[in-house]
Amino acid sequence: MSYNKILVSLGGGPTAVINQSIVGVVLEARKCHQIDQIYGSMRGARGIIDEDFSDLTSETRQNLELVANTPSSALGATRDRPDHKYCMEMLRVIKAHEIGGFYYIGGNESTETVEIIAREARRTNYDLCCIHIPKTIDNDIACNDHTPGFPSAARFVAQAFMSVNLESRALPGVRLVVVMGRNAGFLTAASALGKKYPDDGPHLIYLPERPFVLDDFLAEVRSIHAEKGRCVVAISEGIRDAAGRSIVEDLAARAVAAGGHPAAPGTLADLLAHEVRSQLGIAEVSGLTLGYAQRSFVGCVSDVDQHEAREVGEKAVQYGVRGRLDGSVTIRRRGFYSVDYGLVPLADVGGRTRTMDDAFIAPSNTGVTDAFRFYLRPLLGSGMPDMYLLRPNRVPKREAAAAPTQDTAPAPRLCS
């Protein structure tokens, strides 16, 4: 079979730079005389099953470049998780369209999808080159220094905590902010890059790599709040107790034990805010979940992330067309900050989850180490915003201006 048609697809959710990888595949493939047609599947794996393809061969370069700089996925996305039967259906469609190159952008589970299709293609003697292109904001793909999508999401998280910290300075209290990351705490740890002054938040950071103990959490919040009059906390959505059970389950069970009935549904941020209010008696407490805005926030994209997302798409085609190899493209760091790209067997990546290195995590829940800051800072890209405070040039009180008595003090006026 002649190798003249390729298919680019994706698994999982979008990122701020996934279009760079898609365009990288398309533009690099156009340079290859072996390739005549370039297809993109709409809505990822689901689009393959439904034969919902877009012909990208004749798309103008100008429009491709505009799309590349647009966050999210121009090809859509899906939450389907292909099992073996699903993958066989994908392969059946690939064969029907006589596709010779399959480029799948995604995380760990996507690598397993590629591995199944590559194995079944070989078993049935179908000439198909299968390449996995890394993508995830969680930064948890094995064999990579970091993953496209993570730097831009980390940039957003760092700036979000800059904002929460400034708001907390103006209106002190406890701010509990939940960040994406089920098994790896890289994105939550990025909150530390929002700090500038010694007393800036986040004052506490809770990662899934360390067991979460509710009583210790309450004691640490109480201590910080007593010392500073405020407390900003970064919490990974994936925090678990020592037994590996979700903290949301623990909090629900705690409510049952206390009141004899399940707690009202709520987010992790809401449930923890309730515990702080009820157990510590702190009135000004708020819980915030950054949510999907972390993934594809327009105007908060790392230029480093954009460049590397483009290059992993280009390298995928080079490995696939020129090398006729199956595998997963990897990013490796060199020197203070530069990268090169490799290709590793799909089995080295599929089914494995990378977590935060111990050297990146501070001994207590008060933050991360300088090693993590040095690791992350170049990934955030250029033009990070800055913040400044007024100098503490306070006017001394005058002894003659005695405080009014309770009887003469005017009633306070409240304003929003």
Side-chain angles (χ1 to χ4, degrees), residues 312-331:
V312 292
E314 294 172 351
K315 296 302 292 187
V317 173
Q318 292 172 15
Y319 284 122
V321 176
R322 299 169 189 173
R324 295 298 292 148
L325 300 170
D326 296 337
S328 179
V329 179
T330 60
I331 298 178

Side-chain angles (χ1 to χ4, degrees), residues 107-108 111 132 141-144 328 330 344-353:
N108 299 317
T111 313
H132 168 252
I141 300 180
C143 303
N144 284 267
S328 179
T330 60
V344 299
L346 293 164
D348 289 357
V349 178
R352 302 187 180 189
T353 299

Side-chain angles (χ1 to χ4, degrees), residues 375-398:
Y375 164 80
L376 181 57
R377 185 60 192 87
L379 304 184
L380 299 182
S382 58
M384 279 288 287
D386 207 345
M387 58 183 180
Y388 300 90
L389 302 175
L390 292 172
R391 296 183 177 89
N393 298 319
R394 297 295 179 86
V395 177
K397 296 181 180 180
R398 296 180 59 181

Side-chain angles (χ1 to χ4, degrees), residues 285-350:
V285 182
S286 60
L288 170 66
T289 302
L290 294 186
Y292 292 126
Q294 296 160 89
R295 289 206 298 226
S296 304
F297 195 83
V298 176
C300 197
V301 183
S302 162
D303 54 348
V304 172
D305 200 16
Q306 287 182 315
H307 299 155
E308 293 176 354
R310 173 70 68 92
E311 289 183 322
V312 292
E314 294 172 351
K315 296 302 292 187
V317 173
Q318 292 172 15
Y319 284 122
V321 176
R322 299 169 189 173
R324 295 298 292 148
L325 300 170
D326 296 337
S328 179
V329 179
T330 60
I331 298 178
R332 300 175 294 197
R333 186 180 302 221
R334 295 286 181 262
F336 169 68
Y337 195 73
S338 63
V339 299
D340 60 20
Y341 304 96
L343 192 75
V344 299
L346 293 164
D348 289 357
V349 178

Side-chain angles (χ1 to χ4, degrees), residues 10-13 43-46 49 77-88 90 104 108-114 116-117 138 140 182-183 237 295:
L10 64 138
R43 297 173 294 114
R46 172 52 54 185
I49 296 290
T78 181
R79 278 303 184 190
D80 286 9
R81 296 185 176 184
D83 56 12
H84 188 273
K85 181 180 178 181
Y86 196 117
C87 288
M88 291 301 292
M90 292 169 67
Y104 202 53
N108 299 317
E109 293 175 355
S110 298
T111 313
E112 295 179 277
T113 299
V114 179
I116 292 171
I117 291 175
D138 291 336
D140 62 352
R182 289 170 298 185
N183 300 306
E237 66 176 355
R295 289 206 298 226

Side-chain angles (χ1 to χ4, degrees), residues 161-175 199-201 203 228-232 284 387-390 394 415:
F161 273 86
M162 283 184 185
S163 301
V164 171
N165 179 69
L166 290 169
E167 189 271 345
S168 171
R169 283 185 177 277
L171 289 173
V174 175
R175 305 287 183 268
D199 63 338
D200 277 347
H203 308 105
K228 303 180 182 298
R230 66 191 185 99
C231 182
V232 176
E284 184 60 38
M387 58 183 180
Y388 300 90
L389 302 175
L390 292 172
R394 297 295 179 86
C415 60

